């Protein structure tokens, strides 16, 4: 659809350039006419580029908004177990967690065995899990700030915990306490 629009813009500008050329007075020399025509074509190309840039900007904005789909649906999950509702496979959470954690996403899923029920308090979701019989190492915590639409994760492995934040902000205190 966008390619059709781009082609229509190009055709429109080409027809306009031809019309302008045809309407030029015959008294000017051909080099003057060519110079004016080139100048008008350049102006039309600049306008076409501006239109294309606006289209690309709106596409990028829409893509960013879909990447950051609202976490408000999480408010319904209080008291449920992540495994029972397939939380880590949720169509909104999974891509965001994969982007946030990179290769650590698969690791987190692999150790997500013994889990706590989801707790929601003051717009914050909290749940954690660990590998069975591990005593908490390895383990992971998932938090979501539903008012800020931000995910936080901490993963403990070999005694060291790493904290991840979607927007680079400090993780909620409860997650930091777990990581320490």
């Amino acid at each position: 659809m966008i390619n059709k629009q781009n082609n229509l813009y190009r055709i429109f500008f080409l027809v306009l350039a031809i019309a302008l050329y045809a309407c030029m007075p015959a008294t000017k020399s051909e080099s003057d006419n060519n110079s004016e025509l080139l100048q008008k074509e350049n102006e039309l190309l600049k306008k076409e580029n501006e239109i294309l840039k606006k289209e690309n900007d709106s596409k990028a904005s829409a893509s960013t908004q879909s990447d950051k789909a609202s976490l408000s649906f999480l408010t319904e999950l209080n008291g449920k177990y992540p495994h029972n509702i397939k939380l880590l496979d949720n169509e909104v959470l999974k891509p965001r967690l994969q982007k946030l954690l990179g290769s650590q996403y698969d690791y987190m899923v692999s150790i997500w065995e013994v889990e706590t029920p989801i707790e929601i308090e003051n717009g914050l979701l909290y749940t954690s899990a660990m590998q069975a019989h591990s005593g908490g190492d390895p383990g992971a915590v998932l938090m979501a700030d539903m008012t800020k639409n931000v995910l936080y994760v901490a993963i403990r492995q070999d005694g060291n915990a790493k904290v991840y934040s979607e927007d680079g902000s400090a993780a909620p205190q409860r997650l930091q306490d777990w990581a320490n």
Side-chain angles (χ1 to χ4, degrees):
M1 171 132 168
I2 291 176
N3 285 337
K4 287 182 182 179
Q5 285 179 329
N6 290 344
N7 288 337
L8 289 174
Y9 286 127
R10 286 187 179 108
I11 291 170
F12 170 77
F13 288 120
L14 182 60
V15 169
L16 184 62
I18 291 170
L20 289 172
Y21 181 74
C23 293
M24 294 180 131
T27 59
K28 293 186 178 183
S29 73
E30 190 171 321
S31 66
D32 288 342
N33 286 343
N34 286 341
S35 175
E36 283 184 29
L37 181 61
L38 287 174
Q39 184 179 6
K40 290 183 183 198
E41 283 180 20
N42 283 336
E43 290 172 14
L44 292 172
L45 288 172
K46 285 179 185 177
K47 288 179 182 178
E48 181 181 5
N49 282 336
E50 288 173 12
I51 291 168
L52 291 173
K53 186 178 185 307
K54 287 179 184 177
E55 286 176 2
N56 286 337
D57 289 347
S58 67
K59 273 194 258 179
S61 174
S63 173
T64 300
Q65 289 172 354
S66 67
D67 288 348
K68 295 280 281 184
S70 174
L71 297 173
S72 61
F73 73 95
L74 296 172
T75 58
E76 308 291 322
L77 306 179
N78 195 35
K80 297 182 179 176
Y81 281 87
H83 175 75
N84 293 345
I85 58 170
K86 299 183 181 0
L87 184 68
L88 298 180
D89 288 326
N90 177 279
E91 65 185 22
V92 172
L93 285 182
K94 184 175 181 177
R96 288 178 64 173
L97 288 169
Q98 288 173 321
K99 184 176 180 181
L100 175 63
L101 301 173
S103 64
Q104 287 295 96
Y105 172 79
D106 289 333
Y107 176 73
M108 182 182 76
V109 170
S110 75
I111 64 167
W112 197 276
E113 295 177 349
V114 180
E115 59 189 9
T116 63
I118 295 169
E119 298 174 40
I120 297 179
E121 187 176 313
N122 298 325
L124 293 172
L125 175 141
Y126 178 93
T127 189
S128 64
M130 64 180 173
Q131 192 171 43
H133 312 293
S134 71
D137 188 356
V141 170
L142 169 63
M143 287 194 78
D145 186 327
M146 292 170 278
T147 57
K148 293 180 183 176
N149 196 32
V150 177
L151 293 175
Y152 304 94
V153 173
I155 299 175
R156 180 177 292 124
Q157 182 178 15
D158 299 324
N160 297 314
K162 179 156 183 182
V163 176
Y164 300 84
S165 169
E166 264 188 317
D167 66 355
S169 65
Q173 190 63 47
R174 186 169 180 187
L175 188 136
Q176 290 180 32
D177 291 345
W178 179 90
N180 294 326

